[in-house]
């Protein structure tokens, strides 16, 4: 019960979808409705409109209800083939008076499926296909009777299961010209006895095992005969019987004879008995495809070609490659225009090579030949090379298909086909490529070279501009699947007479190929399935100049992000990309989207990208400012350390070598220039006691940077004496000298080198921070402010100072100063 409800629900949904679709169709004129291969199980509802064609092929329909097409009065074509039809209700085709084509083939129609007068309204029907169904022998007679009422019928496909003779009622079909018969394997002499009254011109027989000698004697107007052998039941005599049945065509003009599907087990050699029959027929087209032909006997074949015959098209499949000279029999044909044969190594055994490396060879064609199809369905490797290949009598050849005939290299050219317009050299091994390969095809219009290793060959050309120089009529070039990464310079830099269509699908391009920047050069450029994520600004500018009508980019790993916004905007506004509805691109979040849908919201996306840009820019500026502030703070905090570091490097670069044991001066006195008078007195007293002192005004060299002089004085003095006064504390150089001294003392391990003379009753809190940090290593001596004090006189001051400056380096603390 649940399954029944499920089926009903699916039908309701399907009908609803169909009705919704057709209600929309009602708003506009519809000529063609294609519902093929949709898995429909019920007949759609067709609303009144101007529909002329309905295709329901390949569905799961079982019934054609009555009045299914009553609203489609203008219907011309109805295809119901390849369904599961087992019933056509009365009146199903009612009102279809303008119907011309009806196909009911490949269904399950039986003797209970059709009723009397099923086709009575189809007064204009010209083409009926009702074969490959399940009609019984008895019912076939009834069906023939019903069909005989279709007086306008021109073509008919019908089953003949078990029939010994076709009903004479078919004589009513006075317009019938094309007849296709299925289901009958053995055809007798009198099967078509009742069809003498008809002027059948085209006859197709399917599932043939045997043909009687006079099978076709009742078709005096027959022009085209197509025979398909039933593979499973064919015998070795099948081909013999078929050719024997052709004897009735002796002296007649035939347009086509085609034989298909002879099994491999019944392979045969085309010889005298076959050509003797064909020789008696003025036959224009002979197809022997997929017939397991093992070979062709040269003598009978040459005789057939040499004698007067009407053959204009010959298509033969051979099961093997051959070096037999029978191929030169083609030269004998006087009217042959189209020749289709499989891959065969043509070789003229009568030509002798002049040297071991000479690879010149030739073969002959009919003088009237216009098309030569020499392709192979799979690659067939050859040891031959294209070098000095000459085709005799090839001046009328317009099309040459040599696809998958994989010659060893393309280092040569082909002579004798100077009027060639179409060349297919797909599958060639062109890793070695000659600039003159196409130089003898000045009228070439179409060049197809798929999978020909041109990715290597084109890059071996010394002068790529010579490759297509002579081919000014080129219009279509197909270079698919060649692993091409780039095109050599000058390849298309020629004045072509027509706009080019160039196919470069399935290669390895990551950007636009190296096309010349010339307008009116390209009609279509196809770059499907390459490795292009977007086009650069140079590529877009070049395309704006070239302006091809269409560019195809489907299958490339396109990127839809803020990084490719310029490209996306160009795609939207240029209108050059023709397959935007098929291109998938990778969005910013990694999902795949259809490019056309993405472009619909491009303006919004562009605004969001600009917001992201400003956010990113603001973040970068903020980060830069933050880093600058942090660096500024760190630099200010450790500015003297940096200064000292840079000065040391500077001195090293100048090859300054400090003294390791002895110093030039006993002390460097740092003071404020306002205290110069007192310092001179200090200098004179200490010098009189044998001390060597360094002073600014006396020892600093004129023109040398003060910072360098200070560091040099610190390095060359055993002690550094700071005269701390109110003026010194106000001096920036004083602070600088204290910092440099602290850095030097820390680096050199001379923490006890600092001597401080305090004047002006300076208190501890007023001392520089750098001095406080090393105070525990500082020798501090206070200048006596009271000259009458017995414990701190000038004499005692100088005595302490001399001790501090001596080599013993005894640390002394002034009893009057307490530092914590």
């Amino acid at each position: 019960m649940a399954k029944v409800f499920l089926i009903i629900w699916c039908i309701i949904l399907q009908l609803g979808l169909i009705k919704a679709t057709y209600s929309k169709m009602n708003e506009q004129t519809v000529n063609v409705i294609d519902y093929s291969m949709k898995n429909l199980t019920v007949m759609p509802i067709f609303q009144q409109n101007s529909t002329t064609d309905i295709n329901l092929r390949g569905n799961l329909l079982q019934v054609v209800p009555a009045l299914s097409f009553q609203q489609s009065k203008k219907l011309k074509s109805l295809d119901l083939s390849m369904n599961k039809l087992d019933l056509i209700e009365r009146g199903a085709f009612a009102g279809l008076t303008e119907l011309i084509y009806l196909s009911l083939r490949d269904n399950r129609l039986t003797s209970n499926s059709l009723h009397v007068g099923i086709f009575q309204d189809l007064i204009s029907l010209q083409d009926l296909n009702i074969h490959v169904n399940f009609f019984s022998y008895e019912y076939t007679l009834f069906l023939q009777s019903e069909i005989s009422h279709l007086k306008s019928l021109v073509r008919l496909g019908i089953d003949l299961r078990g029939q010994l003779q076709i009903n004479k009622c078919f004589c009513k079909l006075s317009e019938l010209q094309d007849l296709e018969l299925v289901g009958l394997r053995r055809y007798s002499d009198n099967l078509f006895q009742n069809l003498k009254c008809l002027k059948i011109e085209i006859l197709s027989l399917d599932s043939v095992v045997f043909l009687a000698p006079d099978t076709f004697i009742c078709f005096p107007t027959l022009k085209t005969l197509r025979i398909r052998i039933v593979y499973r039941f064919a015998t070795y005599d099948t081909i013999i019987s078929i050719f024997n049945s052709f004897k009735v065509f002796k002296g007649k003009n035939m347009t086509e004879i085609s034989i298909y599907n002879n099994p491999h087990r019944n392979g045969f050699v085309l010889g005298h008995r076959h050509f003797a029959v064909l020789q008696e027929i003025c036959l224009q087209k002979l197809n022997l495809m997929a017939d397991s032909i093992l070979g062709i006997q040269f003598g009978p074949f040459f005789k057939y070609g040499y004698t007067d015959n009407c053959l204009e098209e010959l298509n033969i499949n051979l099961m093997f490659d051959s070096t037999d000279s029978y191929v030169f029999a083609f030269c004998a044909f006087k009217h042959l225009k189209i020749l289709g044969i499989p891959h065969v190594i043509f070789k003229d055994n009568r030509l002798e090579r002049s040297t071991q490396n000479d690879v010149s060879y030739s073969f002959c064609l009919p003088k009237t030949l216009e098309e030569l199809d020499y392709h192979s369905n799979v690659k067939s490797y050859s040891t031959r090379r294209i070098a000095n290949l000459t085709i005799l009598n090839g001046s009328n050849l317009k099309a040459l298909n040599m696809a998958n005939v994989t010659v060893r290299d393309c280092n040569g050219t082909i002579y004798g086909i100077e009027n060639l317009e179409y060349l297919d050299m797909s599958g060639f091994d062109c890793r070695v490529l000659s600039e003159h390969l196409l130089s003898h095809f000045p009228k070439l219009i179409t060049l197809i070279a798929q999978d020909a290793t041109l990715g290597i060959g084109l890059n071996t050309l010394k002068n790529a501009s010579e490759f297509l120089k002579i081919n000014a009529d080129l219009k279509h070039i197909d270079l698919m699947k060649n692993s091409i990464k780039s095109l050599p310079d000058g390849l298309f830099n020629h004045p072509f007479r027509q706009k080019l269509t160039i196919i470069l699908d399935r290669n390895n391009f990551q950007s636009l190929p190296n096309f010349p920047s010339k307008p009116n050069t390209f009609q279509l450029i196809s770059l499907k399935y390459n490795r292009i994520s977007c086009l650069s600004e140079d590529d877009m500018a070049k395309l704006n100049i070239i302006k091809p009508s269409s560019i195809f980019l489907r299958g490339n790993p396109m990127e839809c992000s803020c990084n490719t916004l310029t490209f996306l905007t160009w795609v939207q506004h240029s209108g050059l990309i023709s397959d935007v509805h098929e291109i998938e691109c990778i969005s910013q979040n990694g999902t795949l989207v259809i490019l056309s849908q993405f472009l619909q919201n491009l303006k919004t996306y562009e605004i969001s990208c600009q917001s992201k840009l400003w956010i990113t820019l603001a973040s970068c500026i903020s980060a830069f400012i933050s880093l600058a502030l942090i660096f500024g703070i760190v630099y200010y905090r450790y500015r003297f350390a940096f200064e000292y570091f840079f000065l040391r490097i500077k001195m090293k670069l100048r090859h300054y070598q400090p003294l390791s044991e002895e110093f030039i001066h006993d002390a460097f006195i740092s003071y404020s220039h306002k205290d110069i008078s007192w310092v001179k007195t200090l200098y004179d007293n200490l010098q009189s006691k044998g001390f060597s002192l360094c002073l600014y005004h006396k020892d600093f060299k004129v023109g040398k940077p003060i910072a360098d002089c200070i560091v040099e004085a610190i390095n060359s003095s055993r002690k550094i004496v700071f005269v701390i006064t109110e003026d010194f504390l106000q001096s920036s150089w004083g602070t600088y000298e204290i910092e440099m001294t602290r850095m030097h003392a820390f680096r050199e391990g001379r923490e006890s080198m600092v001597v401080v003379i305090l004047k002006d009753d300076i208190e501890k809190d007023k001392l520089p921070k750098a001095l406080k940090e090393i105070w525990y290593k500082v020798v501090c001596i206070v200048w006596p402010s009271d000259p009458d004090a017995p414990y701190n006189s000038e004499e005692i001051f100088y005595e302490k100072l001399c001790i501090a400056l001596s080599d013993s380096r005894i640390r002394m603390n002034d009893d009057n100063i307490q530092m914590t």
Side-chain angles (χ1 to χ4, degrees):
M1 183 64 70
K3 290 183 177 179
V4 173
F5 279 116
L6 181 62
I7 293 171
I8 294 173
W9 177 247
C10 291
I11 293 173
I12 292 171
L13 283 176
Q14 210 169 48
L15 287 172
L17 286 172
I18 294 168
K19 285 184 178 180
T21 302
Y22 276 87
S23 64
K24 189 173 182 180
M25 286 181 178
N26 250 353
E27 300 173 2
Q28 55 185 352
T29 301
V30 177
N31 292 321
V32 179
I33 297 176
D34 188 355
Y35 270 158
S36 61
M37 313 300 288
K38 302 294 184 184
N39 294 325
L40 297 178
T41 56
V42 294
M43 184 65 66
I45 299 174
F46 299 98
Q47 302 290 347
Q48 182 178 3
N49 51 45
S50 59
T51 303
T52 58
D53 294 72
I54 295 178
N55 186 356
L56 292 166
R57 180 176 178 270
N59 285 290
L60 304 174
L61 302 176
Q62 296 181 348
V63 178
V64 182
L67 305 177
S68 294
F69 311 101
Q70 63 176 341
Q71 302 298 332
S72 303
K73 302 295 185 182
K74 297 183 179 181
L75 197 61
K76 297 280 194 287
S77 174
L78 177 59
D79 192 345
L80 290 166
S81 62
M82 298 179 66
N83 279 275
K84 296 183 178 181
L85 294 177
D86 54 18
L87 178 62
I88 299 177
E89 294 183 357
R90 185 180 299 274
F93 304 130
L96 299 182
T97 57
E98 297 184 19
L99 191 67
I100 296 175
Y101 173 83
L102 174 62
S103 179
L104 297 170
R105 63 170 296 170
D106 287 292
N107 280 287
R108 299 179 178 179
L109 299 176
T110 65
S111 56
N112 297 319
S113 301
L114 307 177
H115 60 83
V116 177
I118 183 68
F119 304 122
Q120 65 182 4
D121 286 356
L122 308 181
I123 58 176
S124 301
L125 193 66
Q126 298 180 16
D127 192 338
L128 173 63
N129 294 298
I130 198 170
H131 49 298
V132 194
N133 278 285
F134 298 159
F135 298 124
S136 63
Y137 163 70
E138 296 81 3
Y139 194 75
T140 303
L141 296 175
F142 163 76
L143 183 60
Q144 292 180 33
S145 176
E146 288 297 318
I147 293 174
S148 66
H149 297 295
L150 299 172
K151 302 295 181 62
S152 60
L153 204 62
V154 176
R155 186 188 181 282
L156 172 64
I158 188 173
D159 288 310
L160 282 181
R161 301 182 188 279
Q163 292 289 307
L164 298 178
Q165 194 175 57
I166 295 178
N167 197 306
K168 62 181 179 180
C169 63
F170 270 17
C171 284
K172 298 179 182 179
L173 304 175
S174 58
E175 302 296 325
L176 190 65
Q177 298 178 7
D178 188 342
L179 181 62
E180 181 178 359
L181 304 177
V182 179
L184 193 62
R185 297 174 185 169
R186 305 183 70 86
Y187 290 75
S188 62
D189 289 334
N190 62 349
L191 175 66
F192 301 117
Q193 188 69 30
N194 293 326
L195 297 184
K196 289 182 178 180
C197 53
L198 299 178
K199 297 180 180 180
I200 302 295
E201 295 184 1
I202 302 174
L203 179 64
S204 302
L205 306 180
D206 204 324
S207 306
V208 173
V209 173
F210 174 81
L211 295 178
D214 293 333
T215 299
F216 307 114
I217 200 169
C218 298
F219 298 110
T221 58
L222 192 65
K223 299 295 182 182
T224 298
L225 176 62
R226 302 185 180 107
I227 299 172
R228 182 174 296 276
I229 300 171
V230 58
Y231 192 89
R232 289 178 57 191
F233 302 104
T235 65
Y236 183 78
D237 294 333
T238 298
I239 287 291
I240 297 175
S241 70
I242 290 174
F243 274 87
N244 285 338
S245 69
F246 294 164
K247 293 180 180 179
V248 298
F249 301 129
K250 181 178 180 180
K252 292 185 178 181
N253 296 327
M254 297 284 289
T255 302
E256 175 187 345
I257 292 180
S258 297
I259 305 173
Y260 305 99
N261 212 35
N262 186 51
H264 294 329
R265 64 179 182 272
N266 296 334
F268 67 100
V269 176
L270 274 176
H272 175 74
R273 67 167 66 180
H274 308 103
F275 292 117
V277 173
L278 296 174
Q279 187 174 333
E280 301 296 329
I281 307 170
C282 184
L283 179 63
Q284 295 180 7
K285 179 179 179 180
L286 176 62
N287 284 329
L288 299 175
M289 306 299 291
D291 283 330
S292 304
I293 299 175
L294 302 177
I296 302 175
Q297 292 179 356
F298 175 77
F301 186 48
F302 181 80
K303 182 179 180 182
Y304 174 56
Y306 185 76
T307 56
D308 193 19
N309 65 73
C310 307
L311 196 64
E312 295 182 3
E313 180 175 350
L314 174 62
N315 298 295
I316 301 178
N317 271 144
L318 297 178
M319 290 183 62
F320 68 98
D321 292 344
S322 173
T323 56
D324 292 340
S325 58
Y326 77 87
V327 293
F328 286 91
F330 288 122
C331 295
F333 287 85
K334 299 178 178 63
H335 308 289
L336 196 62
K337 295 180 179 180
I338 300 174
L339 176 61
I341 52 177
H343 165 46
V344 177
I345 301 297
F346 291 115
K347 178 182 177 182
D348 187 355
N349 292 326
R350 294 166 293 180
L351 295 176
E352 295 183 1
R353 298 182 180 181
S354 56
T355 65
Q356 186 176 0
N357 296 323
D358 185 6
V359 289
S360 299
Y361 56 104
S362 64
F363 66 91
C364 184
L365 295 178
K367 293 181 179 180
T368 55
L369 194 66
E370 297 177 0
E371 298 180 20
L372 173 59
D373 186 355
Y374 181 52
H375 84 282
S376 175
N377 292 327
V378 295
K379 285 190 175 182
S380 51
Y381 292 91
S382 168
T383 58
R384 282 290 190 187
R385 301 169 56 195
I386 293 183
N388 302 323
L389 172 61
T390 300
I391 297 179
L392 305 177
N393 299 330
S395 59
N396 288 317
L397 192 66
K398 299 291 193 301
L400 175 60
N401 184 355
M402 298 180 68
N404 290 326
V405 181
T406 308
V407 293
R408 193 172 61 183
D409 63 46
C410 302
N411 189 21
T413 188
I414 302 176
Y415 300 94
I417 47 176
E418 60 276 2
N419 293 312
L420 192 70
E421 296 177 358
Y422 176 97
L423 173 63
D424 190 343
M425 48 180 280
S426 299
F428 279 30
D429 189 353
C430 290
R431 283 175 285 190
V432 180
L433 181 64
S434 171
E435 298 168 356
H436 306 291
L437 178 65
L438 308 176
S439 61
H440 294 279
F441 310 143
K443 297 183 179 180
L444 191 65
I445 296 174
T446 300
L447 172 64
I448 301 177
Q450 299 181 10
D451 192 20
T453 61
L454 289 173
I456 299 174
L458 288 174
N459 290 315
T460 63
L461 296 175
K462 295 180 180 178
N463 187 1
S465 62
E466 294 290 324
F467 188 65
L468 300 175
K469 183 178 180 180
I470 199 67
N471 313 114
D473 288 332
L474 268 174
K475 186 177 180 180
H476 181 93
I477 300 176
D478 188 346
L479 302 179
M480 283 179 59
K481 297 174 64 175
N482 277 287
S483 301
I484 303 173
K485 295 181 179 179
S486 62
L487 295 177
D489 294 338
L491 184 63
F492 295 103
N493 196 17
H494 303 292
F496 295 104
R497 296 188 179 96
Q498 304 181 73
K499 289 185 178 181
L500 287 175
T501 293
I502 181 163
I503 311 298
L504 293 168
D505 301 346
R506 300 185 184 277
N507 282 290
N508 296 326
F509 291 105
Q510 296 183 3
S511 60
L512 187 71
N514 188 17
F515 294 138
S517 298
K518 295 180 180 179
N520 301 319
T521 303
F522 295 96
Q523 177 73 21
L524 181 148
I525 298 173
S526 183
L527 290 164
K528 299 176 185 177
Y529 298 98
N530 278 275
R531 299 181 180 181
I532 301 172
S533 60
C534 71
L535 296 179
S536 66
E537 292 187 7
D538 291 341
D539 292 341
M540 291 183 281
K542 181 178 288 188
L543 288 174
N544 288 335
I545 297 173
I546 297 174
K547 284 195 176 301
S549 300
S550 300
I551 302 173
F552 293 90
L553 293 174
R554 176 166 57 92
N556 283 282
M558 308 301 292
E559 181 182 345
C560 291
S561 66
C562 295
N563 296 330
T564 60
L565 191 59
T566 302
F567 167 65
L568 296 173
T569 304
W570 176 83
V571 170
Q572 187 178 50
H573 291 98
S574 68
L576 295 178
I577 309 301
S578 300
D579 56 350
V580 289
H581 299 289
E582 301 177 9
I583 297 175
E584 291 183 334
C585 63
I586 304 171
S587 63
Q588 196 89 17
N589 58 8
T591 59
L592 286 176
V593 295
I594 301 299
L595 182 57
S596 59
Q597 298 175 359
F598 186 87
L599 294 178
Q600 292 175 0
N601 302 314
L602 185 61
K603 195 67 179 178
T604 304
Y605 190 75
E606 185 176 359
I607 294 172
S608 68
C609 286
Q610 291 175 351
S611 301
K612 291 177 183 178
L613 177 63
W614 282 111
I615 291 172
T616 304
L617 184 60
S619 300
C620 292
I621 293 174
S622 300
F624 177 77
I625 292 174
S626 299
L627 290 173
L629 287 173
I630 293 171
F631 178 77
I633 293 170
V634 171
Y635 182 79
Y636 182 78
R637 174 68 179 82
Y638 300 101
R639 62 190 181 280
F640 296 110
F642 285 120
E643 183 76 14
Y644 179 77
F645 175 73
F646 291 133
L647 286 172
R648 294 289 302 185
I649 293 176
K650 192 175 181 181
M651 293 175 70
K652 284 185 177 181
L653 293 175
R654 294 180 179 178
H655 306 289
Y656 171 78
Q657 296 294 333
L659 297 173
S660 58
E661 296 293 338
E662 297 182 358
F663 296 94
I664 299 174
H665 305 289
D666 290 312
F668 165 56
I669 299 176
S670 176
Y671 57 93
S672 171
H673 68 280
K674 295 181 180 180
D675 300 322
I676 185 63
S677 298
W678 188 87
V679 172
K680 285 183 178 180
T681 303
L682 177 67
Y683 175 80
D684 293 338
N685 288 331
L686 291 176
Q687 190 176 32
S688 65
K689 297 181 183 297
F691 290 100
S692 174
L693 303 174
C694 178
L695 298 179
Y696 301 145
H697 64 278
K698 181 176 70 70
D699 297 300
F700 280 15
K701 297 179 180 178
V702 178
K704 190 173 185 178
I706 295 176
D708 291 0
C709 292
I710 291 173
V711 174
E712 187 175 332
I714 293 171
N715 288 337
S716 61
S717 301
R718 182 180 294 108
K719 298 288 185 179
I720 310 298
V721 179
F722 293 101
V723 180
I724 307 297
T725 64
E726 291 290 348
D727 293 327
F728 183 87
L729 295 177
Q730 300 298 322
S731 172
S732 59
W733 282 110
T735 304
Y736 179 81
E737 290 165 1
I738 292 173
E739 289 287 353
M740 292 296 104
T741 301
R742 184 171 71 88
M743 294 297 166
H744 183 77
F746 176 77
R747 182 180 180 279
E748 301 293 335
R750 297 173 58 197
E751 290 86 352
S752 60
M753 67 185 292
V754 179
V755 177
V756 175
I757 299 175
L758 288 180
K759 291 187 71 203
D760 301 338
D761 293 328
I762 301 298
E763 296 179 358
K764 166 196 170 184
D765 294 338
K766 292 184 178 181
L767 295 177
K769 184 179 179 182
L771 195 57
K772 291 178 183 179
E773 292 176 354
I774 61 172
W775 190 258
Y776 68 98
K777 288 287 187 178
V778 171
V779 176
C780 182
I781 305 172
V782 179
W783 174 256
S785 57
D786 185 3
D788 296 331
Y791 56 84
N792 191 17
S793 62
E794 289 187 14
E795 183 179 352
I796 295 174
F797 168 79
Y798 280 110
E799 182 180 347
K800 290 180 180 181
L801 185 57
C802 290
I803 294 171
L805 297 178
S806 65
D807 290 333
S808 60
R809 300 180 183 179
I810 299 173
R811 169 148 177 106
M812 300 182 67
N813 290 303
D814 195 287
D815 296 335
N816 297 328
I817 300 299
Q818 299 294 326
M819 299 295 294
T820 60

